[in-house]
Amino acid sequence: QVQLMESGGDSVQAGGSLRLSCTISEKDRYCMAWFRQAPGKEREGIASTHSADSTNRITYASSVKGRFIISHDNAENILYLQMNNLKPEDAAMYYCATFPRSYTSYCPMTQDRYTRWGRGTQVTVSS
């Protein structure tokens, strides 16, 4: 069973940067995504990619496009989320998630497609 573990969450000031990491226990062909959930709000998908994609078919939510970058280290099997120019509204619990899929087209950002989840890492942004 694939296990995911996030790290890198911290408390930063607005305008700052953080890099989140998600260590994935098994190598396979799957969709990978970052989600976040702020208190009182629904969980939202913010970035997705495929583990075997080499053509940069990445999807971003409009709220983070141009500020966040999702990437995958194939050798170490770690999913990253580089977050730049953080805003107070970015404060949330951040989760990584995967589901197995053999083909490498764009991956969805709807949470009900994802079958494996990490426990989350907290990001706090102060103004």
Side-chain angles (χ1 to χ4, degrees):
Q1 180 171 333
V2 176
Q3 295 183 335
L4 290 71
M5 181 176 294
E6 304 92 339
S7 61
D10 205 343
S11 180
V12 298
Q13 289 191 330
S17 297
L18 281 175
R19 188 177 77 162
L20 305 184
S21 300
C22 173
T23 302
I24 304 171
S25 63
E26 296 181 15
K27 290 188 178 182
D28 202 343
R29 297 173 69 89
Y30 37 64
C31 281
M32 309 179 290
W34 285 98
F35 292 80
R36 68 184 181 186
Q37 187 168 20
K41 295 188 177 181
E42 293 188 356
R43 187 174 298 184
E44 64 167 331
I46 56 174
S48 65
T49 187
H50 192 279
S51 62
D53 181 50
S54 60
T55 62
N56 210 35
R57 280 175 285 197
I58 293 172
T59 302
Y60 291 103
S62 58
S63 57
V64 305
K65 195 169 186 179
R67 299 188 298 123
F68 290 13
I69 301 171
I70 187 172
S71 62
H72 181 228
D73 183 326
N74 287 321
E76 299 295 327
N77 210 28
I78 299 174
L79 180 69
Y80 294 105
L81 184 69
Q82 177 67 43
M83 305 188 295
N84 301 318
N85 189 23
L86 283 160
K87 304 176 180 181
E89 53 263 41
D90 294 318
M93 184 71 80
Y94 283 72
Y95 301 89
C96 60
T98 68
F99 72 91
R101 195 181 76 179
S102 60
Y103 63 96
T104 61
S105 187
Y106 287 96
C107 288
M109 291 199 297
T110 49
Q111 59 176 322
D112 58 357
R113 297 292 305 276
Y114 288 81
T115 55
R116 294 287 181 261
W117 293 81
R119 294 187 175 184
T121 187
Q122 183 70 46
V123 172
T124 303
V125 184
S126 58
S127 57

